[in-house]
Amino acid sequence: MNADTIDRPEPAAETEWTRFMDDALQRTAAGTPLEVRGTLTRLAGLVLEAAGIRAPVGSQCKVAMAGQAPVLVEVVGFSNDRAYLMPAGDVHGLVSGASVTPAAPYVPVPRLGDPPRDAGDARVGVLRLPLGDGLLGRIVDAQGIPMDHGGPITDVVAEPLDRQPINAMDRSPVREPLDTGVRAINGMLTVGRGQRIGLFAGSGVGKSVLLGMMARYTRADVVVVGLIGERGREVKEFVEDILGEDGRARSVVVAAPADAPPLLRLQGAAYATAVAEHFRDNGQHVLLLMDSLTRYAMAQREIALAIGEPPATKGYPPSCFAKLPQLVERSGNGLNGVGSITAFYTVLSEGDDQQDPIADAARAILDGHIVLSRALAEAGHFPAIDIEQSASRVMHNVVSPEHFEVARRFRAINSRYQKGRDLIQIGAYAMGADPALDEAIRLNDGMTAFLQQGMFDAAPLDDSLRAMTRVISKAAGAR
């Protein structure tokens, strides 16, 4: 078709139309790079090997065969002229000799009126996923594909997942308390806006329920939930039963269930963090809930062992312990105090072992830890937070001296009761033998009631402090 025969728009839209066409011509003039094609030579376990293709680590490729859909893979390593590829889909049916080519990234369809994009946005092999306000209220997988049958995602831009870390001197310190709506946390383990904290527990003690309470009641502009490596059944239950319609409206859920390949589990955690970073960079306060950090480390272990990295501690190679801080340090306060990401990472303690290598490493890099006790859960105490083993490392910076003193006094009395609990239960303790233990026995019922809370009951920060003060004031009044 001759350009002279194209119907030109009205003069009022001439400038916008010209800009749109100039952008299209610029992208066309940039040319299409020569396609680099390799050949699949080996498939062993989880890893594929390809020869004849040179692609940087982290880039995306497609393995294609006639008669079946291409398989998306990522370059995770190389040896001489061989590239190690990790699949993001089912490799059933692949044979030696299949072609391997760099993959085109996700790019939103250009629309009239959109600002021009850099031609570099269309580089092949670079992983870019949708970020933007269009993700609010949606459930997507690790590749940004909707899982909620809500149609295509609009009002998003394609951005890379890898970002430069923020200079530590450009971050504002954690100085402002964050209301989580959970009484035990607000009163005893006060969280600061921009803090990174871990939920440590074995399986089945209420981690997901506690996350759902915080997703509903925490005072945040946006909630980003990353369900990484957990049971697929929990995805729909978390969205419908725990998050609810009100919580979902301001939330983004990224799901990479346990049956997803290890590459997608890693990518899901990075994608959820990138979504949170996008909203933080726009000046919003974000709550990031990731369940779980342990499954993320396990996915990295699967990949590292598959490409030949030697195991170090309980089967975990060194790269697992290097990946954890790289992910966790991306959250926190934004540049010069603009926006924040307050992050909660669940850590699965295998066999309730708090010295599990991943739990031990996570405790060292996080700003606090909340330990959930199986004994409390079995006794019907929910949330099953073990106050003695839990700590918030920034609490002294975000609460008043009066609040801190009441919490310290509460912790001391509770600890005194726990140490004398065995004697009390077998009837070996006589009242009056220890005034401090007498006080702990007298206050125990009120303290236990304070630490318990229904999953659909909200407890604001100010109310939590007043309730905790009332419990402790009974001790002072009895003297």
Side-chain angles (χ1 to χ4, degrees), residues 24 63 66 113 126 135 140 144 183 212 228-229 244 247 283 285 353 390 416 439:
V63 181
V126 178
L135 290 173
V140 298
R183 188 162 46 241
I228 310 301
H285 296 296
D353 179 13
S390 304
R416 187 68 188 92
E439 178 186 62

Side-chain angles (χ1 to χ4, degrees), residues 206-213 230-231 234 238 242 291 346:
K207 296 189 303 296
S208 298
V209 173
L210 183 56
L211 289 180
M213 292 174 66
E230 296 301 314
R231 294 179 290 272
E234 291 186 340
F238 186 92
I242 298 179
D291 187 14
T346 66

Side-chain angles (χ1 to χ4, degrees), residues 82-412:
R82 303 277 174 165
Y84 298 143
L85 312 172
M86 190 61 59
D90 187 8
V91 298
H92 182 75
L94 290 181
V95 298
S96 179
S99 66
V100 182
T101 57
Y106 172 88
V107 177
V109 178
R111 296 178 302 174
L112 187 63
D114 287 346
R117 293 193 302 269
D118 184 10
D121 286 350
R123 289 177 296 168
V124 296
V126 178
L127 178 61
R128 295 176 182 269
L129 294 179
L131 301 175
D133 293 342
L135 290 173
L136 289 173
R138 304 301 301 270
I139 296 94
V140 298
D141 65 9
Q143 296 176 298
I145 300 174
M147 301 175 62
D148 53 7
H149 308 292
I153 299 175
T154 59
D155 194 19
V156 292
V157 294
E159 296 288 346
L161 296 189
D162 295 330
R163 296 193 174 194
Q164 291 294 328
I166 299 178
N167 188 326
M169 295 303 296
D170 294 335
R171 291 183 186 267
S172 296
V174 179
R175 292 288 185 266
E176 183 181 351
L178 179 69
D179 187 352
T180 63
V182 180
R183 188 162 46 241
I185 297 177
N186 282 342
M188 299 296 299
L189 305 165
T190 311
V191 175
R193 195 179 294 279
Q195 182 178 359
R196 289 78 58 95
I197 197 164
L199 296 178
F200 292 75
S203 57
V205 295
K207 296 189 303 296
S208 298
V209 173
L210 183 56
L211 289 180
M213 292 174 66
M214 290 187 289
R216 284 195 303 270
Y217 306 134
T218 299
R219 294 187 177 180
D221 300 322
V222 177
V223 178
V224 179
V225 182
L227 301 176
I228 310 301
E230 296 301 314
R231 294 179 290 272
R233 170 185 61 82
E234 291 186 340
V235 176
K236 189 171 185 178
E237 289 183 0
F238 186 92
V239 172
E240 294 184 355
D241 301 337
I242 298 179
L243 199 58
E245 288 297 327
D246 294 338
R248 181 176 172 180
R250 60 169 183 157
S251 302
V252 181
V253 179
V254 179
D259 60 344
L263 176 65
L264 292 186
R265 281 177 266 149
L266 280 182
Q267 187 172 305
Y271 185 29
T273 305
V275 172
E277 288 175 320
H278 174 84
F279 289 108
R280 177 191 64 186
D281 294 344
N282 289 336
Q284 294 176 292
H285 296 296
V286 182
L287 175 66
L288 173 62
L289 306 175
M290 190 168 295
D291 187 14
S292 71
L293 196 63
T294 304
R295 304 300 186 194
Y296 172 83
M298 288 180 174
Q300 174 60 26
R301 177 175 64 178
E302 293 177 40
I303 294 175
L305 294 178
I307 63 176
E309 187 178 351
T313 306
K314 291 186 70 172
Y316 287 97
S319 62
C320 291
F321 302 101
K323 282 278 189 180
L324 290 177
Q326 291 176 7
L327 178 72
V328 170
E329 285 295 327
R330 291 171 61 178
S331 56
N333 288 324
L335 286 171
N336 303 314
V338 177
S340 67
I341 300 176
T342 305
F344 286 84
Y345 301 93
T346 66
V347 181
L348 180 63
S349 302
E350 298 183 1
D352 295 326
D353 179 13
Q354 295 299 322
Q355 303 307 316
D356 177 82
I358 298 301
D360 198 41
R363 191 181 296 108
I365 61 178
L366 294 170
D367 302 325
H369 50 276
I370 298 174
V371 178
L372 302 185
S373 167
R374 186 174 299 278
L376 291 175
E378 291 173 348
H381 181 120
F382 292 103
I385 298 175
D386 190 329
I387 295 300
E388 286 190 289
Q389 297 190 56
S390 304
S392 174
R393 296 181 181 176
V394 304
M395 180 175 176
H396 62 284
N397 291 329
V398 300
V399 301
S400 65
E402 294 78 15
H403 183 165
F404 191 80
E405 177 58 25
V406 171
R408 186 202 64 79
R409 178 67 177 154
F410 190 107
R411 185 183 292 268

Side-chain angles (χ1 to χ4, degrees), residues 21-91:
M21 292 300 297
D22 288 344
D23 179 44
L25 290 173
Q26 181 182 1
R27 299 170 69 84
T28 303
T32 303
L34 294 177
E35 183 180 79
V36 180
R37 186 184 297 271
T39 303
L40 185 66
T41 59
R42 185 170 182 263
L43 192 163
L46 298 175
V47 67
L48 291 73
E49 292 184 17
I53 183 170
R54 291 192 176 184
V57 173
S59 60
Q60 306 284 298
C61 298
K62 285 187 177 180
V63 181
M65 284 184 54
Q68 71 178 56
V71 178
L72 184 67
V73 297
E74 181 176 312
V75 180
V76 294
F78 57 85
S79 177
N80 296 326
D81 61 342
R82 303 277 174 165
Y84 298 143
L85 312 172
M86 190 61 59
D90 187 8
V91 298

